[in-house]
Amino acid sequence: MTPLPPLATAHLFREVCSALHDLLASLGPDDWTKPTVHATRDVKDLVAHLLDGSLRRLSFQRDGHVIPAPEMRTFEAMVGFVQRLNSEWMVAARRLSPRVLMEMLRRADEEVAALFEGLDPEGPAIFSVAWAGEEWSQNWFDVAREYTEKWHHQQQIRDAVGRPGLTERRHLHPVIDTFLRGAPHAYRDVPAADGAGVDLVITGEAGGTWQLARAADRWELVTTRETPAVTTVELDADSAWRLWTKGLEPAEARARAVVRGDEALAAPVFRMVTIMA
Protein backbone atom coordinates (compact mmCIF):
# COMPACT_ATOMS: atom_id res chain seq x y z
CA MET A 1 0.00 0.00 0.00
CA THR A 2 1.27 3.45 -0.93
CA PRO A 3 0.35 6.36 1.35
CA LEU A 4 -1.33 9.40 -0.18
CA PRO A 5 1.31 11.94 -1.28
CA PRO A 6 1.45 15.55 0.01
CA LEU A 7 -0.93 18.10 -1.49
CA ALA A 8 0.29 21.43 -2.88
CA THR A 9 -2.00 24.43 -2.36
CA ALA A 10 0.37 27.38 -1.81
CA HIS A 11 0.06 28.28 -5.51
CA LEU A 12 -3.74 28.55 -5.13
CA PHE A 13 -3.74 30.81 -2.11
CA ARG A 14 -3.45 34.06 -4.08
CA GLU A 15 -6.27 32.96 -6.38
CA VAL A 16 -8.75 32.19 -3.63
CA CYS A 17 -7.85 35.42 -1.82
CA SER A 18 -8.15 37.52 -4.99
CA ALA A 19 -11.59 36.06 -5.64
CA LEU A 20 -12.59 36.96 -2.08
CA HIS A 21 -11.34 40.53 -2.40
CA ASP A 22 -13.22 41.01 -5.67
CA LEU A 23 -16.37 39.61 -4.07
CA LEU A 24 -16.17 41.92 -1.07
CA ALA A 25 -15.56 44.97 -3.27
CA SER A 26 -18.82 44.22 -5.10
CA LEU A 27 -21.01 44.04 -1.98
CA GLY A 28 -23.59 46.67 -1.17
CA PRO A 29 -24.08 48.12 2.33
CA ASP A 30 -26.91 45.72 3.14
CA ASP A 31 -24.86 42.67 2.17
CA TRP A 32 -22.47 43.10 5.09
CA THR A 33 -25.20 42.48 7.66
CA LYS A 34 -26.75 39.44 6.00
CA PRO A 35 -26.87 36.29 8.17
CA THR A 36 -24.62 33.35 7.41
CA VAL A 37 -24.77 29.65 8.23
CA HIS A 38 -23.27 30.59 11.62
CA ALA A 39 -26.13 31.52 13.94
CA THR A 40 -24.33 34.49 15.53
CA ARG A 41 -22.13 35.67 12.64
CA ASP A 42 -23.09 37.88 9.74
CA VAL A 43 -21.05 38.51 6.59
CA LYS A 44 -18.98 41.25 8.23
CA ASP A 45 -18.14 38.94 11.13
CA LEU A 46 -16.83 36.27 8.77
CA VAL A 47 -14.70 38.82 6.91
CA ALA A 48 -13.28 39.97 10.25
CA HIS A 49 -12.57 36.32 11.14
CA LEU A 50 -10.64 35.83 7.90
CA LEU A 51 -8.63 38.97 8.59
CA ASP A 52 -7.86 37.71 12.08
CA GLY A 53 -6.53 34.46 10.64
CA SER A 54 -4.16 36.27 8.29
CA LEU A 55 -2.93 38.73 10.91
CA ARG A 56 -2.34 35.98 13.45
CA ARG A 57 -0.46 33.93 10.87
CA LEU A 58 1.86 36.82 10.05
CA SER A 59 2.38 37.69 13.71
CA PHE A 60 3.11 34.15 14.87
CA GLN A 61 4.94 32.62 11.92
CA ARG A 62 6.66 35.53 10.18
CA ASP A 63 7.34 37.76 13.17
CA GLY A 64 7.68 35.23 15.99
CA HIS A 65 5.11 36.98 18.19
CA VAL A 66 3.62 34.39 20.53
CA ILE A 67 0.73 35.17 22.87
CA PRO A 68 0.31 33.49 26.26
CA ALA A 69 -1.91 30.42 26.11
CA PRO A 70 -3.31 28.16 28.81
CA GLU A 71 -2.18 24.57 29.11
CA MET A 72 -4.35 22.51 26.78
CA ARG A 73 -4.35 18.78 27.39
CA THR A 74 -7.31 17.90 25.17
CA PHE A 75 -8.59 18.72 21.72
CA GLU A 76 -11.71 20.18 23.30
CA ALA A 77 -9.62 22.58 25.38
CA MET A 78 -7.75 23.68 22.27
CA VAL A 79 -11.03 24.28 20.43
CA GLY A 80 -12.34 26.31 23.34
CA PHE A 81 -9.24 28.51 23.36
CA VAL A 82 -9.36 29.08 19.61
CA GLN A 83 -13.06 29.89 19.68
CA ARG A 84 -12.52 32.40 22.47
CA LEU A 85 -9.84 34.17 20.44
CA ASN A 86 -12.15 34.16 17.41
CA SER A 87 -15.07 35.63 19.33
CA GLU A 88 -13.01 38.36 21.01
CA TRP A 89 -11.67 39.53 17.66
CA MET A 90 -15.03 39.56 15.88
CA VAL A 91 -16.64 41.60 18.64
CA ALA A 92 -13.82 44.18 18.52
CA ALA A 93 -13.88 44.28 14.70
CA ARG A 94 -17.52 45.36 14.68
CA ARG A 95 -16.11 48.85 15.33
CA LEU A 96 -14.42 48.78 11.91
CA SER A 97 -15.98 49.78 8.61
CA PRO A 98 -16.22 47.35 5.71
CA ARG A 99 -13.74 49.51 3.79
CA VAL A 100 -11.16 49.30 6.58
CA LEU A 101 -11.64 45.54 6.82
CA MET A 102 -11.22 45.10 3.06
CA GLU A 103 -8.08 47.22 2.89
CA MET A 104 -6.49 45.42 5.82
CA LEU A 105 -7.48 42.00 4.46
CA ARG A 106 -6.06 42.69 1.00
CA ARG A 107 -2.67 43.66 2.41
CA ALA A 108 -2.53 40.87 4.98
CA ASP A 109 -3.50 38.18 2.47
CA GLU A 110 -0.82 39.35 0.05
CA GLU A 111 1.80 39.00 2.76
CA VAL A 112 0.51 35.60 3.88
CA ALA A 113 0.61 34.34 0.27
CA ALA A 114 4.24 35.42 0.00
CA LEU A 115 4.99 33.72 3.32
CA PHE A 116 3.44 30.44 2.20
CA GLU A 117 5.21 30.50 -1.16
CA GLY A 118 8.57 30.76 0.62
CA LEU A 119 8.07 27.75 2.93
CA ASP A 120 9.68 24.34 2.47
CA PRO A 121 6.58 22.15 1.95
CA GLU A 122 8.14 19.26 3.86
CA GLY A 123 9.48 21.39 6.72
CA PRO A 124 7.88 21.38 10.17
CA ALA A 125 4.79 23.55 10.42
CA ILE A 126 4.34 26.14 13.14
CA PHE A 127 0.84 24.75 13.78
CA SER A 128 -0.24 21.11 13.67
CA VAL A 129 -3.48 20.12 11.97
CA ALA A 130 -5.24 19.09 15.16
CA TRP A 131 -8.53 18.03 13.56
CA ALA A 132 -6.55 15.37 11.67
CA GLY A 133 -5.11 14.11 14.95
CA GLU A 134 -1.58 15.33 14.24
CA GLU A 135 0.66 16.50 17.05
CA TRP A 136 2.99 18.02 14.46
CA SER A 137 2.48 18.60 10.73
CA GLN A 138 4.49 19.45 7.68
CA ASN A 139 4.10 22.87 6.09
CA TRP A 140 2.16 21.56 3.09
CA PHE A 141 -0.64 20.30 5.36
CA ASP A 142 -0.73 23.46 7.48
CA VAL A 143 -0.92 25.59 4.32
CA ALA A 144 -3.61 23.33 2.85
CA ARG A 145 -5.62 23.71 6.05
CA GLU A 146 -5.36 27.51 5.74
CA TYR A 147 -6.43 27.25 2.09
CA THR A 148 -9.58 25.40 3.16
CA GLU A 149 -10.28 28.10 5.76
CA LYS A 150 -10.15 30.83 3.11
CA TRP A 151 -12.22 28.75 0.71
CA HIS A 152 -15.00 27.53 2.98
CA HIS A 153 -15.61 30.83 4.80
CA GLN A 154 -15.63 32.61 1.43
CA GLN A 155 -18.20 30.09 0.22
CA GLN A 156 -20.34 30.79 3.30
CA ILE A 157 -20.20 34.50 2.46
CA ARG A 158 -21.11 33.76 -1.17
CA ASP A 159 -24.08 31.70 0.01
CA ALA A 160 -25.22 34.53 2.28
CA VAL A 161 -25.18 37.15 -0.48
CA GLY A 162 -26.41 34.85 -3.26
CA ARG A 163 -23.26 34.71 -5.35
CA PRO A 164 -21.89 31.61 -7.12
CA GLY A 165 -19.00 29.86 -5.42
CA LEU A 166 -15.53 28.74 -6.41
CA THR A 167 -16.74 25.20 -7.03
CA GLU A 168 -14.80 24.28 -10.15
CA ARG A 169 -12.39 21.38 -9.73
CA ARG A 170 -9.27 23.59 -9.52
CA HIS A 171 -10.46 25.17 -6.29
CA LEU A 172 -12.84 22.66 -4.66
CA HIS A 173 -10.96 19.40 -5.25
CA PRO A 174 -8.02 20.49 -3.03
CA VAL A 175 -10.52 21.38 -0.30
CA ILE A 176 -12.09 17.91 -0.43
CA ASP A 177 -8.67 16.25 -0.60
CA THR A 178 -7.40 18.23 2.40
CA PHE A 179 -10.50 17.49 4.46
CA LEU A 180 -10.25 13.77 3.73
CA ARG A 181 -6.74 13.73 5.21
CA GLY A 182 -8.69 13.74 8.47
CA ALA A 183 -10.43 10.43 7.68
CA PRO A 184 -7.84 8.14 9.34
CA HIS A 185 -8.24 10.10 12.57
CA ALA A 186 -12.03 9.93 12.28
CA TYR A 187 -11.72 6.14 11.93
CA ARG A 188 -9.15 5.72 14.73
CA ASP A 189 -11.52 3.88 17.09
CA VAL A 190 -13.23 1.78 14.42
CA PRO A 191 -12.07 -1.85 14.56
CA ALA A 192 -11.56 -3.90 11.41
CA ALA A 193 -9.45 -6.79 10.21
CA ASP A 194 -6.07 -6.08 8.67
CA GLY A 195 -6.51 -5.45 4.97
CA ALA A 196 -10.06 -4.12 5.30
CA GLY A 197 -10.79 -1.21 3.03
CA VAL A 198 -13.28 1.64 2.76
CA ASP A 199 -13.80 3.65 -0.42
CA LEU A 200 -14.87 7.27 0.00
CA VAL A 201 -16.37 8.40 -3.29
CA ILE A 202 -17.08 12.12 -3.71
CA THR A 203 -19.20 12.70 -6.77
CA GLY A 204 -19.18 15.65 -9.16
CA GLU A 205 -16.49 17.53 -11.09
CA ALA A 206 -14.43 18.23 -7.98
CA GLY A 207 -14.67 14.72 -6.59
CA GLY A 208 -12.83 11.43 -6.84
CA THR A 209 -12.25 8.24 -4.90
CA TRP A 210 -10.18 8.09 -1.72
CA GLN A 211 -9.15 4.71 -0.34
CA LEU A 212 -8.80 3.88 3.34
CA ALA A 213 -6.96 0.75 4.37
CA ARG A 214 -6.60 -0.96 7.74
CA ALA A 215 -3.13 -2.25 8.58
CA ALA A 216 -1.21 -2.77 11.83
CA ASP A 217 -4.16 -1.60 13.95
CA ARG A 218 -4.48 1.75 12.21
CA TRP A 219 -6.26 3.29 9.24
CA GLU A 220 -4.39 5.01 6.43
CA LEU A 221 -5.26 6.81 3.20
CA VAL A 222 -3.56 5.05 0.32
CA THR A 223 -3.25 5.47 -3.43
CA THR A 224 -3.63 1.73 -4.08
CA ARG A 225 -5.03 -1.13 -2.03
CA GLU A 226 -4.77 -4.83 -2.79
CA THR A 227 -8.12 -5.77 -1.28
CA PRO A 228 -11.59 -4.65 -2.40
CA ALA A 229 -13.58 -2.25 -0.29
CA VAL A 230 -15.69 -3.69 2.51
CA THR A 231 -17.76 -0.50 2.48
CA THR A 232 -18.24 2.27 -0.06
CA VAL A 233 -19.63 5.70 0.81
CA GLU A 234 -20.78 8.04 -1.97
CA LEU A 235 -21.56 11.69 -1.28
CA ASP A 236 -21.68 14.73 -3.53
CA ALA A 237 -18.93 17.32 -3.12
CA ASP A 238 -21.23 20.15 -2.05
CA SER A 239 -22.76 18.08 0.74
CA ALA A 240 -19.32 16.76 1.78
CA TRP A 241 -17.62 20.09 2.47
CA ARG A 242 -20.70 21.45 4.23
CA LEU A 243 -20.94 18.35 6.42
CA TRP A 244 -17.29 18.47 7.48
CA THR A 245 -17.48 22.20 8.31
CA LYS A 246 -20.67 21.77 10.36
CA GLY A 247 -22.88 23.47 7.80
CA LEU A 248 -24.98 20.34 7.17
CA GLU A 249 -26.42 18.03 9.80
CA PRO A 250 -25.01 14.48 9.76
CA ALA A 251 -28.50 12.99 9.42
CA GLU A 252 -29.20 15.09 6.33
CA ALA A 253 -25.83 14.17 4.82
CA ARG A 254 -26.52 10.49 5.47
CA ALA A 255 -29.88 10.82 3.69
CA ARG A 256 -28.09 12.25 0.64
CA ALA A 257 -25.40 9.58 0.62
CA VAL A 258 -25.27 6.10 -0.85
CA VAL A 259 -23.69 3.47 1.39
CA ARG A 260 -22.85 -0.03 0.23
CA GLY A 261 -21.56 -2.53 2.76
CA ASP A 262 -21.05 -2.32 6.50
CA GLU A 263 -22.94 0.68 7.90
CA ALA A 264 -20.62 0.84 10.91
CA LEU A 265 -17.67 1.44 8.58
CA ALA A 266 -19.55 4.32 6.96
CA ALA A 267 -20.55 6.12 10.16
CA PRO A 268 -17.25 8.02 10.78
CA VAL A 269 -17.66 9.87 7.47
CA PHE A 270 -20.77 11.55 8.89
CA ARG A 271 -19.13 12.38 12.23
CA MET A 272 -15.96 13.87 10.81
CA VAL A 273 -15.27 17.58 11.51
CA THR A 274 -12.41 19.36 9.70
CA ILE A 275 -12.47 22.69 11.46
CA MET A 276 -11.60 23.72 15.03
CA ALA A 277 -15.18 23.61 16.26
Side-chain angles (χ1 to χ4, degrees):
M1 296 185 293
T2 305
L4 217 58
L7 171 67
T9 56
H11 64 292
L12 296 171
F13 198 80
R14 288 183 189 274
E15 291 183 22
V16 76
C17 289
S18 179
L20 172 62
H21 303 155
D22 289 345
L23 168 68
L24 298 181
S26 73
L27 298 184
D30 292 342
D31 288 325
W32 289 85
T33 58
K34 288 182 176 177
T36 70
V37 67
H38 300 272
T40 61
R41 301 178 184 179
D42 61 16
V43 167
K44 187 166 176 275
D45 289 331
L46 285 190
V47 175
H49 174 58
L50 289 172
L51 173 61
D52 183 27
S54 291
L55 292 177
R56 268 195 266 171
R57 174 68 62 165
L58 293 171
S59 297
F60 285 17
Q61 187 163 8
R62 188 193 64 184
D63 302 338
H65 179 72
V66 179
I67 64 172
E71 185 176 2
M72 292 172 282
R73 296 182 178 273
T74 66
F75 177 77
E76 290 73 22
M78 187 183 304
V79 169
F81 176 65
V82 170
Q83 289 297 330
R84 178 171 66 80
L85 292 180
N86 292 344
S87 296
E88 289 173 351
W89 174 270
M90 281 185 284
V91 169
R94 288 171 184 165
R95 305 170 186 173
L96 304 178
S97 69
R99 178 177 175 179
V100 167
L101 285 175
M102 285 190 290
E103 290 174 351
M104 293 176 68
L105 184 65
R106 187 179 295 275
R107 176 175 175 178
D109 285 348
E110 170 65 29
E111 295 183 17
V112 171
L115 173 66
F116 286 166
E117 290 163 359
L119 294 175
D120 173 6
E122 297 184 356
I126 191 170
F127 300 119
S128 67
V129 184
W131 51 252
E134 295 198 347
E135 295 184 2
W136 76 275
S137 302
Q138 292 181 307
N139 281 323
W140 70 264
F141 198 10
D142 185 27
V143 171
R145 180 259 308 279
E146 286 300 304
Y147 173 79
T148 68
E149 279 285 300
K150 288 290 186 185
W151 186 92
H152 94 266
H153 283 310
Q154 177 176 174
Q155 184 62 42
Q156 291 167 346
I157 293 170
R158 289 177 178 274
D159 287 345
V161 298
R163 304 291 180 86
L166 301 179
T167 56
E168 66 277 12
R169 183 175 180 84
R170 177 175 177 82
H171 294 120
L172 180 51
H173 181 80
V175 173
I176 298 296
D177 190 57
T178 301
F179 285 163
L180 280 169
R181 307 295 175 122
H185 183 60
Y187 274 78
R188 66 192 180 280
D189 296 326
V190 178
D194 270 6
V198 176
D199 281 354
L200 308 174
V201 181
I202 305 301
T203 60
E205 179 195 6
T209 298
W210 284 259
Q211 299 180 71
L212 274 169
R214 178 77 172 182
D217 296 325
R218 63 191 298 268
W219 291 93
E220 188 173 5
L221 280 172
V222 297
T223 56
T224 57
R225 192 184 59 230
E226 296 179 357
T227 55
V230 176
T231 297
T232 298
V233 182
E234 290 187 13
L235 186 65
D236 67 277
D238 187 68
S239 296
W241 79 260
R242 295 179 191 277
L243 168 67
W244 298 328
T245 58
K246 302 189 76 170
L248 180 67
E249 290 296 322
E252 176 61 24
R254 177 61 187 89
R256 298 180 185 184
V258 176
V259 174
R260 293 186 291 273
D262 186 348
E263 188 74 29
L265 288 180
V269 173
F270 305 104
R271 296 194 298 263
M272 190 164 70
V273 177
T274 57
I275 55 176
M276 295 295 286

